[in-house]
Amino acid sequence: MYITYWLLVKCLGDNCGVSIGGDCYSPGGLKVIIPVGGRAIRLLPLTFETSKACLRLLNRPLVEFSLLSLASQGIRHIIFGVKGYTNYRDLYDYFGSGYGFSERYSIEPRLHIDYQPNISDLGSADSARINLEYYDLKGDVFVVQGDNLFDVNIKSLMDFHRARDAALTIVLREVDNIEGLGLADIDKAGRIHRFVEKPLPKDAPSNLANTGLYVMSSKVRQIFKEEFIQQLIKDKKRLDFGYDFIPYIIQSGYPVYGYTIKGHWFDVGTPQNYLEAMKSLLQQSVVMPPDFGEYLQPNSNCLVWVQEDNSTSVKCREQILQKIKQKKIHVNGAVLIGRHCQIEDGATLTNCCLDNFTQIGKNVVVSNSALMDKVVIGDYAEVTDSIIGRHVTISSSQQAPTKISDVSVIADDVTIDEGSRLSASKVYPHQKVVGEFVNQVFPASFKL
């Protein structure tokens, strides 16, 4: 019910289906391409067997936030630009053609989801090129990255794009840290005159970062066919937006504009960024529509959600809430607890997310961390500033407590023996870990 109401209010608030610059802009007719390719190396080992777009964040696949944001503004046609077996498998198995997703969130008319044909792209721009041709897309197309969380008014963006007759509009945002980002130099009218992908600080043209959100006009389809682009694909075996296409289209004199947003935007591309996005969402500093369910506010500095979906999970929820009220479980900051979780007395939870079917032992401390579904944590363990993947068992006892800290990342289906210590370390899937590791990759053979 909450999601349905949220979608309705957002869509009405954004004036779905209004006239823009003489053209009738209907969000229901705007196609969205979401390139999902590559290995997501920065998020390894979490993405070793899982598509980054389907990595769980706040108890749901990461890309689900983008789909809900788009659907809330009237978008109904999505194309996943999938590359590789893992990306296709995970996305198709979860989202299919959009029927189940639409029913789950009462999206009417339903969301239509298509997929890139069985052609392996050579980068994000190449994925857009392939899908423009295959699906014969002739109007404006919105491109969204599969690992971004964003707060953008699409109607306002389209207003900006069409009023300037832009070939390409890039959504920009001011950032404090420019490392690893593409940066644009714009004039007073918003036109981009220079773009540099991941420059050294001394070479940065500005602090306006490329968010990976683009509006492509119908001109772009023809630009992709130009001789230089075709030769680039042939010679470099690559066609990336930041490194290749954006610099070319600017240098060729096409009108490329930057639409600057002040709202929140997260590139959830590293474990640290993942944890920062999780905390920001939990603290409600970003207007997003995840169905957290009802919440409890034990005091003015604390916010707790405990989810449920059937009679059994309702019982689990009531038991956890009762323990919180009785101060048998201590909570601080913002905490999301999933369905069917079990939490023993003495546990302390601070700014964290526990996914469905998680089991927390006695006197466990979980702080600034994400625990994905079916994680089991033994008594007296401590998990701080870290990400624990799915179906992980962390054995621990009062005599030999286990500690995981300093942005350690544990992938799926890992067993950690009691008394182990992991600091700033990574563990790949299906491993058994015993001992102490500081800034290590386990096993070492997986180190890139």
Side-chain angles (χ1 to χ4, degrees):
M1 183 64 70
Y2 169 76
I3 289 293
T4 307
Y5 176 74
W6 190 92
L7 289 168
L8 177 62
V9 169
K10 282 288 289 179
C11 194
L12 290 177
D14 287 330
N15 299 315
C16 296
V18 299
S19 177
I20 298 179
D23 295 327
C24 182
Y25 161 61
S26 171
L30 181 65
K31 304 298 193 297
V32 175
I33 297 175
I34 305 180
V36 184
R39 295 183 57 198
I41 290 175
R42 293 184 300 163
L43 274 170
L44 287 171
L46 294 171
T47 52
F48 187 71
E49 296 180 336
T50 302
S51 169
K52 178 166 58 173
C54 287
L55 188 67
R56 290 180 72 79
L57 174 68
L58 298 185
N59 304 0
R60 69 200 65 225
L62 170 59
V63 76
E64 192 161 302
F65 288 94
S66 295
L67 294 186
L68 288 171
S69 180
L70 294 167
S72 75
Q73 299 185 63
I75 302 298
R76 291 297 180 268
H77 295 273
I78 305 292
I79 299 169
F80 279 126
V82 290
K83 173 185 177 181
Y85 163 71
T86 298
N87 287 315
Y88 173 75
R89 176 201 64 191
D90 289 1
L91 285 159
Y92 186 82
D93 288 354
Y94 188 87
F95 292 104
S97 60
Y99 279 103
F101 180 80
S102 300
E103 183 178 356
R104 186 180 313 130
Y105 292 109
S106 301
I107 299 171
E108 296 181 358
R110 79 170 182 89
L111 206 64
H112 294 263
I113 299 178
D114 289 307
Y115 296 82
Q116 183 169 309
N118 198 13
I119 301 172
S120 185
D121 63 74
L122 299 173
S124 56
D126 198 39
S127 176
R129 180 189 68 85
I130 290 167
N131 287 290
L132 284 173
E133 288 298 322
Y134 184 80
Y135 289 103
D136 194 24
L137 306 182
K138 296 178 179 178
D140 293 326
V141 174
F142 190 31
V143 178
V144 174
Q145 303 308 308
D147 58 350
N148 282 1
L149 300 176
F150 55 88
D151 179 14
V152 61
N153 184 309
I154 298 173
K155 176 191 172 297
S156 177
L157 171 61
M158 296 303 299
D159 256 330
F160 178 94
H161 172 78
R162 293 188 173 185
R164 288 156 180 78
D165 194 27
L168 178 71
T169 296
I170 304 173
V171 178
L172 305 172
R173 191 185 187 285
E174 289 186 355
V175 295
D176 296 324
N177 181 8
I178 65 171
E179 184 179 358
L181 299 172
L183 302 168
D185 180 23
I186 65 174
D187 62 21
K188 291 181 179 180
R191 185 159 180 168
I192 299 176
H193 294 283
R194 190 160 70 100
F195 180 89
V196 184
E197 181 70 7
K198 300 179 182 177
L200 296 172
K202 66 181 180 66
D203 299 323
S206 73
N207 68 336
L208 287 173
N210 175 14
T211 66
L213 305 175
Y214 312 109
V215 180
M216 302 187 303
S217 75
S218 56
K219 300 183 187 76
V220 168
R221 185 170 171 181
Q222 295 306 313
I223 296 170
F224 278 135
K225 297 178 182 178
E226 292 184 4
E227 183 178 352
F228 179 87
I229 295 295
Q230 293 299 310
Q231 194 65 39
L232 181 69
I233 293 172
K234 182 179 179 180
D235 293 344
K236 289 193 174 182
K237 301 294 188 292
R238 186 188 75 192
L239 186 59
D240 179 76
F241 271 110
Y243 282 111
D244 307 309
F245 188 70
I246 295 173
Y248 169 74
I249 194 174
I250 292 172
Q251 293 165 10
S252 298
Y254 290 100
V256 179
Y257 282 84
Y259 176 84
T260 303
I261 59 172
K262 295 188 180 298
H264 293 275
W265 165 73
F266 298 97
D267 170 12
V268 189
T270 68
Q272 188 62 55
N273 288 356
Y274 175 103
L275 290 172
E276 289 175 3
M278 178 198 75
K279 287 193 287 185
S280 290
L281 286 166
L282 284 174
Q283 291 162 2
Q284 295 186 302
S285 63
V286 180
V287 180
M288 296 293 279
D291 181 17
F292 288 165
E294 295 183 38
Y295 66 88
L296 171 72
Q297 194 161 10
N299 57 64
S300 60
N301 297 317
C302 184
L303 195 60
V304 181
W305 291 266
V306 185
Q307 299 176 314
E308 49 82 10
D309 60 358
N310 58 35
S311 58
T312 303
S313 62
V314 168
K315 291 179 182 178
C316 293
R317 180 182 188 275
E318 293 306 316
Q319 290 172 357
I320 291 171
L321 291 177
Q322 189 66 23
K323 285 187 176 184
I324 292 174
K325 291 176 182 178
Q326 295 173 349
K327 297 185 178 180
K328 293 181 179 179
I329 299 173
H330 308 286
V331 292
N332 306 291
V335 176
L336 172 62
I337 300 172
R339 301 163 182 84
H340 304 279
C341 289
Q342 299 176 28
I343 305 175
E344 299 298 330
D345 293 354
T348 299
L349 309 175
T350 304
N351 292 325
C352 62
C353 174
L354 314 184
D355 209 333
N356 304 330
F357 294 97
T358 295
Q359 297 179 25
I360 303 294
K362 295 179 181 178
N363 298 304
V364 166
V365 173
V366 180
S367 176
N368 300 314
S369 297
L371 277 56
M372 297 182 191
D373 50 317
K374 288 213 168 183
V375 167
V376 178
I377 300 186
D379 299 346
Y380 293 90
E382 294 183 15
V383 179
T384 58
D385 301 302
S386 296
I387 305 172
I388 310 300
R390 309 175 77 172
H391 209 278
V392 169
T393 298
I394 301 173
S395 298
S396 181
S397 66
Q398 185 173 10
Q399 295 74 27
T402 298
K403 295 185 178 181
I404 300 172
S405 63
D406 300 313
V407 197
S408 288
V409 180
I410 313 302
D412 297 350
D413 192 36
V414 167
T415 300
I416 299 177
D417 205 4
E418 68 177 71
S420 296
R421 300 281 198 279
L422 285 85
S423 174
S425 294
K426 298 180 178 182
V427 181
Y428 276 74
H430 318 301
Q431 306 298 315
K432 180 177 175 61
V433 177
V434 182
E436 297 189 13
F437 298 88
V438 177
N439 196 28
Q440 295 292 315
V441 175
F442 186 91
S445 58
F446 279 109
K447 192 167 185 178
L448 295 178

